Amino acid sequence: MAPHLHEVSGPRSLRAHAAAAGLLVGCAVNPRGLDGEPAYSQTVADQMNLLVAENAMKWGPLRPTIDTFDFRPADDIMDFAARHNQQVRGHNLCWHEELPTWFASEVNKGNAKEILIQHIQTVAGRYAGRIQSWDVVNEAILPKDGRPDGLRKSPWLELLGPDYIDIAFHTARLADPHALLTYNDYGIEKDTPEDTIKRGDVLMLIRRMKARGVPLDAVGIQSHLTAGDPMPGAGLRAFVRECGRLGLQVFVTEMDVNDKKLPAAVEERDQAVAKVYQDYLTMMLAEPNVTAVLTWGVTDKYTWLDGPKFGRADGRPERPLPFDSDYQPTPAFFAERAALDSRAARLSAPVRQGDPYAPFRPGSARGGAAGPQSERQ
Ligand code: XIL
């Protein structure tokens, strides 16, 4: 039987539980849902204290032509978040995908640097002071492209060489000194040979960035996981700790759990998906420098995973998110909430020597990861 909504809203919501643990919890959103679908907007408002635009802040949607920007959908998300006392992540300022159709014909080695800088100044500048963190560069590593530095042969690399990364971060820092500047990537979670190699290349990239004095504050681990795959473990934990030693926060930025390897029965799928949420997030949230968790969407109704590329062979809809397509909480919701509680439990345990959570506690000098404590309900 479906749980009643009062069991999961207000003080029982994800955002209330996250705030009690000094954490941010959020999801990717689409402005059309926020404006036009009450069940969607209410769930997002009730549950989240951090939003990220699923697409609205990417180059393609933002820039219909080289000279024009369409900020309306992104502005709508900013307004919604402000009305509901939510913070916003920016996603993203530099990526090889979702580039506008004019990009290939208009951008060349002669003007690429200027266009990248102008884009970041315009977009990060517009929202300056209102963004918790920016994904400045997204998915720059791809070991199978064969370069010793692991960099993906993206249009940006072809146009500007490896410098494009430093250019993007320096420009973002100047445009919005308050946002935590983030490097975001996928396929670095598991202990498989493929993920281990890519994680090593990401670590090499961020170590070198820090050594060069590039303004980098955080690493985003996308966390698109698949139930039935090997679970992330020691390798990722060591990576997160190394990020901590480098002074970097870590965000789980795009979590969802693909159920395509599971049989059709919904209950079986939901239990397996929930177990991935619980085990993964409990592991991650044990690390003090992991301060935010976002899912890539809130409702199964709009998951990007459906369809031939990522979805199930039997064509049934995927169930990868904390709310199902009728906005009922799934077992994944309760698993995510329990993982947030596991962090709160660690915060209240007696401190022996040195408190690793100190900078991230609610009410600490930084105000805790969740910022103003008006969240407590
Ligand atoms: C995806 C969106 O969910 C889709 O709607 C869009 O068509 C393609 O992009 N990694 C990222 C996200 O950083 O921006 C991607 O989002 C999913 C993978």
Side-chain angles (χ1 to χ4, degrees):
M1 202 181 65
H4 293 291
L5 270 184
H6 72 83
E7 290 174 34
V8 302
S9 57
R12 294 173 173 145
S13 63
L14 295 175
R15 70 184 288 177
H17 283 240
L23 295 169
L24 291 169
V25 70
C27 68
V29 294
N30 284 298
R32 248 180 294 153
L34 295 180
D35 290 346
E37 194 180 345
Y40 183 98
S41 54
Q42 199 189 326
T43 307
V44 171
D46 272 357
Q47 297 296 333
M48 309 300 171
N49 59 22
L50 180 63
L51 306 185
V52 60
E54 182 166 1
N55 292 301
M57 290 192 190
K58 294 171 181 173
W59 275 66
L62 267 189
R63 292 188 79 160
T65 72
I66 191 165
D67 308 307
T68 53
F69 284 82
D70 177 8
F71 283 114
R72 261 168 312 165
D75 286 355
D76 285 349
I77 293 174
M78 298 301 297
D79 293 347
F80 183 93
R83 284 201 303 279
H84 296 96
N85 193 22
Q86 295 163 315
Q87 301 192 46
V88 180
R89 301 198 73 234
H91 175 82
N92 54 61
L93 296 171
C94 182
W95 189 27
H96 64 284
E97 276 185 34
E98 309 258 330
L99 289 165
T101 45
W102 50 263
F103 192 89
S105 54
E106 304 262 3
V107 185
N108 54 54
K109 288 187 175 165
N111 64 8
K113 184 173 175 186
E114 186 194 340
I115 289 175
L116 177 63
I117 290 176
Q118 175 238 19
H119 182 89
I120 294 175
Q121 285 172 340
T122 307
V123 179
R126 181 179 185 89
Y127 300 118
R130 294 187 281 155
I131 295 282
Q132 177 264 350
S133 58
W134 262 113
D135 286 334
V136 179
V137 172
N138 196 31
E139 305 181 350
I141 294 290
L142 190 63
K144 70 167 186 269
D145 278 355
R147 292 172 52 98
D149 58 10
L151 288 181
R152 179 192 293 269
K153 291 182 176 162
S154 78
W156 291 114
L157 186 88
E158 311 282 353
L159 289 162
L160 293 172
D163 271 359
Y164 82 88
I165 295 175
D166 293 18
I167 294 169
F169 276 87
H170 283 293
T171 309
R173 180 66 101 218
L174 283 173
D176 184 354
H178 297 286
L180 296 172
L181 303 187
T182 307
Y183 175 76
N184 192 49
D185 216 332
Y186 69 94
I188 54 175
E189 294 86 6
K190 294 175 294 196
D191 283 331
T192 58
E194 199 183 345
D195 280 23
T196 302
I197 289 170
K198 185 163 177 180
R199 188 165 55 236
D201 284 349
V202 169
L203 187 56
M204 179 166 67
L205 171 71
I206 62 183
R207 271 200 189 120
R208 289 177 175 174
M209 287 170 69
K210 291 302 278 182
R212 289 195 298 271
V214 177
L216 173 71
D217 306 302
V219 175
I221 299 175
Q222 289 186 10
S223 312
H224 295 291
L225 303 179
T226 297
D229 273 359
M231 278 301 287
L236 182 58
R237 206 176 311 130
F239 174 88
V240 170
R241 289 179 186 173
E242 188 53 30
C243 289
R245 281 188 282 274
L246 292 166
L248 301 170
Q249 294 191 47
V250 170
F251 309 135
V252 172
T253 49
E254 304 184 13
M255 184 163 184
D256 49 21
V257 180
N258 196 317
D259 63 31
K260 67 182 174 189
K261 295 191 173 173
L262 303 175
V266 162
E267 247 181 55
E268 198 175 326
R269 280 199 266 157
D270 281 2
Q271 291 308 325
V273 166
K275 184 160 168 44
V276 176
Y277 269 90
Q278 179 130 11
D279 292 351
Y280 182 68
L281 291 178
T282 304
M283 176 182 95
M284 293 297 275
L285 291 172
E287 304 304 322
N289 58 324
V290 176
T291 55
V293 172
L294 300 99
T295 48
W296 205 240
V298 61
T299 163
D300 295 338
K301 187 173 179 183
Y302 299 123
T303 174
W304 73 303
L305 294 174
D306 281 334
K309 195 166 171 204
F310 300 110
R312 296 177 58 87
D314 64 11
R316 287 169 204 265
E318 292 260 351
R319 300 176 60 84
L321 291 166
F323 287 85
D324 70 13
S325 49
D326 298 318
Y327 296 93
Q328 294 299 316
T330 60
F333 170 93
F334 295 95
E336 182 175 3
R337 201 178 62 177
L340 298 169
D341 292 347
S342 74
R343 174 64 159 259
R346 284 173 182 276
L347 289 183
S348 58
V351 175
R352 292 202 187 124
Q353 39 167 232
D355 174 10
Y357 297 97
F360 308 111
R361 284 178 180 277
S364 72
R366 267 195 228 177
Q373 287 309 297
S374 51
E375 276 300 308
R376 295 208 156 162
Q377 309 188 21

